[in-house]
């Protein structure tokens, strides 16, 4: 081994790793030769290399003998010290091409710089990604000849990681900005849509009141005129044509109110599957033989709280649109099933809540809708049908009705592949309501007294003439204070028929409340061309409110009045009233009472309620004790007809709780056993054994509430 020159130790601290390596290195076995053969310029370069705190190294000679300092070894994490003093091309064959390029370029007199070079450093613990800045420059000896390549390394990993973090945060921030921007745009779109809907609603509502009042005057007088021209074919035809025009005007106003979400809804608990099946015959007749109608109803279908008339109109509108799209030939599929809209879906929507829905889907095999048209189909007055074949209000009406009901509507279509319209109607856990069609049966009038409160003189005169023509005794008032004065006069009044929108400080709902205070047995029927918010809240009629929308026909008015008057007999003192003497061969007269039927089986409950209603009683229904107590808190009730076995609280416990709150309450227990445990029949308590018929039920009520002139027995016997 050749000893280093005497001057060598002065530039290399003896305690450094590189010093030990340099002093102990066998320089004679390399092309470098012994250190004492180095020229002073190279020795100074090596001294600067070894003393530098920066990672540095050099490739000596054309072979690129590798020399480096402690800082370079620290950053590179070299595991094999023997690479020191070895040719660089052999030390790292995997990057030999790169290092050869460096040697050739620098020995040719050039310099190289590489910025942010991504490398994987073989540290002792594990491979590690790093980013380095490397400068290669010529190493010149005393004769100005290039003797090697000097390189200096700057670790830019921290800066690159900071830049990456900053870029990631900037991207995240940009994503958030984009998200917020999208939300803002959606909010702005929703606001514009809401403002548009509000404008349409206000415009429609403002016009509808006066427009429907005019239609009512025209309609009423035409119907009265029909009696005068009876027998004249020409006169009857002209009246029919004019009435058809009234009907079209009324439908137009209704459709606009529906789109503007201003129509008064009277929701019922409906099983859509049964509803669709009941419409099957109607749809087949309406669509014609060329359309094949298929209905698919899923098992376990939930109930929905919806206005039956509006959902029927919506389904009919969709079916007619499908028929036109199929040119009268094709297949119409109506599906009903359960659906769930999750948060990720409704997050992109503005007025839809996540949760459970009942899905009603209508699919046709028509020509479909293109993307440009899809954005406009729910707009009012937009139609692709030829002039004269459509108003453009059908789908907009469906859209407004579904939205007002708290649901969601989605349309899927592709040109040449048909269209599917999906209605998502909110689910309810309530029991299904039994919907009775009151617009059937013979048209009859009556002899009761009706007070008409209407500020429009023409409308008032028309409705008074119609009521008088039906046989009723009619009182009239031009405003609410005048109507209240008539009520305060003591004249017996069976029904108050009042317009919703009336001038003056006393509004119609307040008039109705005061009328019921003074005449507890009076019935109240509202009418209006536009209800505003006085009896409609949340798009729905207030509980217990009866409304007849203008314009109405003589037949509709007559049936509505009979429906109300037969179920709400006039009460003079707040107690059970007396029914008018029955005709010959009818069942014995009984007292009309208010009955609360509590039965968890909806079929039994509905049957019992119908038995009672046929005898003129006012009936309330409840499926369990909790609902029954709510009804008792809201309505005056004379007798409780309750099943003994109820979910939660038994019928016996219910009666005990009810009597604690209403001591005078009579009770009829219904049971499938011979007796009811814990029940002792008395003057206020009876037991009915199932199955029982209408006669047994009414006899039980007759014992509890004898007709006038018949005394109540001290102890009422069992059935």
């Amino acid at each position: 081994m050749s000893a280093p020159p005497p001057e060598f130790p002065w530039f290399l601290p003896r305690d450094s790793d590189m010093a030990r390596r340099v002093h102990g290195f066998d320089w004679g076995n390399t092309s470098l030769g012994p250190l004492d053969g180095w020229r002073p310029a190279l020795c100074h370069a090596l001294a600067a290399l070894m003393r530098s705190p920066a990672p540095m190294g050099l490739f000596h000679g054309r072979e690129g003998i590798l020399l480096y300092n402690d800082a370079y070894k620290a950053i590179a994490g070299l595991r094999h010290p023997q690479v020191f003093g070895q040719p660089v091309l052999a030390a790292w064959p995997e990057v030999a091409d790169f290092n050869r390029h460096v040697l050739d370029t620098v020995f040719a007199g050039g310099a190289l710089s590489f910025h942010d070079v991504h490398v994987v450093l073989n540290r002792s613990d594990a491979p590690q990604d790093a980013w380095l800045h490397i400068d290669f420059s010529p190493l010149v000896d005393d004769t100005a000849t290039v003797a090697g390549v000097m390189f200096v390394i700057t670790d830019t990993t921290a800066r690159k990681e900071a830049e990456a973090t900053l870029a990631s945060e900037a991207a995240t921030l940009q994503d958030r900005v984009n998200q917020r921007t999208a939300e803002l745009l959606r909010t702005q779109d929703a606001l514009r849509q809401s403002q548009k809907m509000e404008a349409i609603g206000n415009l429609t509502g403002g016009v509808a009141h006066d427009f429907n009042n005019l239609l009512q005057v025209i309609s009423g007088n035409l119907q009265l005129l029909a009696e005068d021209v009876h027998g004249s074919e020409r006169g009857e035809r002209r009246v029919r044509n004019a009435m058809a025009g009234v009907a079209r005007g009324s439908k137009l106003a209704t459709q606009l109110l529906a789109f503007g979400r201003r129509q008064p809804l009277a929701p019922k608990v409906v099983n859509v599957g049964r509803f669709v099946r009941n419409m099957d015959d109607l749809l087949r007749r309406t669509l014609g033989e060329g359309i094949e109608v298929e209905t698919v109803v899923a098992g376990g279908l939930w109930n929905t709280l919806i206005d039956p008339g509006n959902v029927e109109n919506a389904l009919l509108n969709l079916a007619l649109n499908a028929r036109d799209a199929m040119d009268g030939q094709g297949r119409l599929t109506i599906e009903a099933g359960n659906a769930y809209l999750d948060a990720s879906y409704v997050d992109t929507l503005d007025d839809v809540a996540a949760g459970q829905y009942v899905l009603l889907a209508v699919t046709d095999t028509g020509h479909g809708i293109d993307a440009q048209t899809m954005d406009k189909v729910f707009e009012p007055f937009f139609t692709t049908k030829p002039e004269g074949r459509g108003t453009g209000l059908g789908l907009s009406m469906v859209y407004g009705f579904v939205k007002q009901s708290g649901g969601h509507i989605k349309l899927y279509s592709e040109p040449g592949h048909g269209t599917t319209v999906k209605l998502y109607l909110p689910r309810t856990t309530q029991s299904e309501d039994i919907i009775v069609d009151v617009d059937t049966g013979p048209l009859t009038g009556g002899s009761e007294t009706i007070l008409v409160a209407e500020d429009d003189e023409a409308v008032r005169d028309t409705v008074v003439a119609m009521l008088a023509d039906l046989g009723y005794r009619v009182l009239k008032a031009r405003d609410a204070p005048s109507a209240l004065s008539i009520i305060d006069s003591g004249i017996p009044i069976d029904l108050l028929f009042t317009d919703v929108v009336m001038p003056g400080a006393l509004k119609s709902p307040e008039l109705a409340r005061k009328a019921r205070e003074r005449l507890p047995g009076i019935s109240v029927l509202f009418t209006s061309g536009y209800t505003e918010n006085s009896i409609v809240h949340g798009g729905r009629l207030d509980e217990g409110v009866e409304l007849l929308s203008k314009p109405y026909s003589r037949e509709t008015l007559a049936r509505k009045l009979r429906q109300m008057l037969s179920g709400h007999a006039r009460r003079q003192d707040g107690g059970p009233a007396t029914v008018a003497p029955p005709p010959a061969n009818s069942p014995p007269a009984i007292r009309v009472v208010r009955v609360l039927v509590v039965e968890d089986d909806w079929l039994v409950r509905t049957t019992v309620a119908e038995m009672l209603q046929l005898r003129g009683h006012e009936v309330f229904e409840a499926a369990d004790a909790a609902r029954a107590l709510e009804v008792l808190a809201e309505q005056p009730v004379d007798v409780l007809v309750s099943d003994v076995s109820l979910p939660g609280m038994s019928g016996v416990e219910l009666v005990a709780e009810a009597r604690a709150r209403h001591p005078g309450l009579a009770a009829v227990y219904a049971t499938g056993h011979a007796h009811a445990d814990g029940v002792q029949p008395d003057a206020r308590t009876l037991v009915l054994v199932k199955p029982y018929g209408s006669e047994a039920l009414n006899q039980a009520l007759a014992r509890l509430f004898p007709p006038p002139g018949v005394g109540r027995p001290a102890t009422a016997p069992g059935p």
Side-chain angles (χ1 to χ4, degrees), residues 52 80 88 98 153 174 205 208 245 270 316 333 348 384 552 565 585 683:
S52 174
H80 306 290
V88 68
F98 171 78
I153 295 176
Q174 186 61 47
V270 174
L316 195 56
T333 304
T348 60
T384 58
Y552 47 81
L565 290 170
N585 302 322

Side-chain angles (χ1 to χ4, degrees), residues 449-620:
T449 301
I450 298 177
L451 171 58
V452 176
E454 169 64 63
D455 62 299
D456 189 301
E457 184 176 357
V459 175
R460 185 172 65 247
D461 291 344
T462 303
V463 71
V464 166
M466 291 172 67
L467 292 172
D469 189 55
L470 289 167
Y472 293 104
R473 295 187 296 271
V474 186
L475 304 172
K476 56 184 180 180
R478 66 178 181 276
D479 52 31
S482 301
L484 189 59
S485 298
I486 295 174
I487 293 170
D488 287 336
S489 69
I491 299 175
I493 300 172
D494 296 285
L495 183 140
L496 170 63
F497 187 33
T498 177
D499 189 20
V500 173
V501 182
M502 296 249 280
L506 182 60
K507 301 302 180 184
S508 294
E510 184 67 12
L511 168 63
R513 187 186 66 80
K514 291 180 179 293
R516 290 191 176 106
E517 287 178 353
R518 291 157 171 77
L519 299 172
I522 194 172
S523 299
V524 178
L525 176 59
F526 290 97
T527 182
S528 181
Y530 175 54
T531 57
E532 293 182 330
N533 293 317
S534 53
I535 60 172
V536 177
H537 295 90
R540 299 178 179 181
L541 283 172
D542 294 343
E543 188 72 23
V545 169
E546 297 285 351
L547 174 69
L548 184 62
S549 296
K550 296 177 182 176
Y552 47 81
S553 68
R554 177 175 179 272
E555 289 76 11
T556 304
L557 174 63
R559 291 196 171 99
K560 186 68 174 180
L561 291 175
R562 288 322 314 158
Q563 175 202 358
M564 295 186 64
L565 290 170
S566 63
H568 297 77
R570 180 170 57 85
R571 300 172 178 86
Q572 295 179 347
D573 56 359
T578 303
V579 181
N585 302 322
S586 67
I590 62 170
R591 299 177 70 192
V592 174
V593 293
R594 297 168 293 239
V595 187
L596 172 57
V597 178
V598 188
E599 169 65 60
D600 59 319
D601 188 309
W602 70 267
L603 184 58
V604 175
R605 184 174 70 250
T606 303
T607 303
V608 173
E610 188 173 355
M611 290 178 185
L612 294 166
Q613 288 169 340
L614 288 173
R615 297 302 299 272
H617 299 295
E618 183 177 357
V619 183
F620 307 97

Side-chain angles (χ1 to χ4, degrees), residues 63-111:
E63 295 179 60
I65 302 302
L66 178 63
L67 303 176
Y68 49 83
N69 61 9
D70 286 339
Y72 175 78
K73 180 183 178 183
I75 192 174
L78 297 175
R79 297 179 181 179
H80 306 290
Q82 62 268 27
V83 299
F84 184 88
Q86 298 299 316
V88 68
L89 299 180
W92 289 305
E94 63 272 17
V95 290
D97 291 342
F98 171 78
N99 288 325
R100 184 178 293 107
H101 170 68
V102 170
L103 288 170
D104 292 345
T105 301
V106 176
F107 268 90

Side-chain angles (χ1 to χ4, degrees), residues 639-650:
V639 57
L640 189 65
V641 177
S642 175
D643 187 22
V644 172
S645 300
L646 292 173
M649 180 187 295
S650 72

Side-chain angles (χ1 to χ4, degrees), residues 11-23 45-58 66-79 81 83-84 121 123 151 153:
F11 67 83
L12 193 64
R14 290 280 179 176
D15 58 348
S16 72
D17 180 64
M18 285 302 151
R20 288 189 294 274
R21 186 171 300 157
V22 169
H23 285 285
L46 184 60
L49 168 73
M50 295 304 174
R51 287 179 177 276
S52 174
M56 294 180 63
L58 62 84
L66 178 63
L67 303 176
Y68 49 83
N69 61 9
D70 286 339
Y72 175 78
K73 180 183 178 183
I75 192 174
L78 297 175
R79 297 179 181 179
V83 299
F84 184 88
L121 301 178
R123 298 288 173 83
F151 62 87
I153 295 176

Side-chain angles (χ1 to χ4, degrees), residues 276-472:
V276 168
R277 289 193 181 100
N278 290 340
M279 288 189 64
D280 192 63
D281 289 340
L282 171 64
L283 289 173
R284 293 180 193 279
R285 289 195 306 270
T286 303
L287 299 179
E289 296 180 356
I291 303 294
E292 179 185 350
V293 180
E294 180 182 4
T295 57
V296 181
V297 179
L301 188 66
W302 298 326
N303 290 336
T304 180
L305 188 64
I306 208 76
D307 187 299
N310 278 281
V311 76
E312 180 177 344
N313 288 337
L315 188 55
L316 195 56
N317 260 301
L318 294 177
L320 292 174
N321 279 347
R323 179 198 63 187
D324 294 341
M326 295 185 287
D327 298 323
Q329 298 288 331
R331 170 179 291 185
L332 179 72
T333 304
I334 302 174
E335 300 174 83
N338 300 330
Y340 182 81
L341 299 182
D342 58 25
S344 61
Y345 176 79
V346 303
D347 186 54
T348 60
L349 306 172
D350 299 305
D351 54 355
V352 183
Q356 296 174 329
Y357 290 83
V358 176
L359 171 63
L360 181 60
V362 178
T363 303
D364 64 56
T365 57
H367 47 66
I369 306 172
D370 59 51
Q372 291 75 16
T373 306
M374 286 271 285
D375 296 333
K376 304 176 183 178
V377 292
F378 295 126
E379 296 291 333
F381 302 111
F382 175 80
T383 180
T384 58
K385 297 177 183 178
E387 187 175 353
R389 291 193 57 189
T391 62
L393 287 170
L395 278 179
S396 64
M397 183 191 71
V398 175
Y399 177 88
F401 155 66
V402 171
K403 289 297 184 181
Q404 187 177 345
S405 301
H408 173 54
I409 183 169
K410 184 67 176 179
L411 189 145
Y412 303 87
S413 188
E414 186 177 341
H417 293 82
T419 300
T420 296
V421 182
K422 293 186 175 182
L423 311 182
Y424 294 87
L425 308 175
R427 181 198 179 184
T428 180
T429 56
Q430 300 177 39
S431 300
E432 182 183 4
D433 291 327
I434 302 303
I435 302 172
V436 180
D437 188 358
V438 298
D439 291 333
T440 59
L443 178 63
T444 59
S447 58
E448 292 90 347
T449 301
I450 298 177
L451 171 58
V452 176
E454 169 64 63
D455 62 299
D456 189 301
E457 184 176 357
V459 175
R460 185 172 65 247
D461 291 344
T462 303
V463 71
V464 166
M466 291 172 67
L467 292 172
D469 189 55
L470 289 167
Y472 293 104

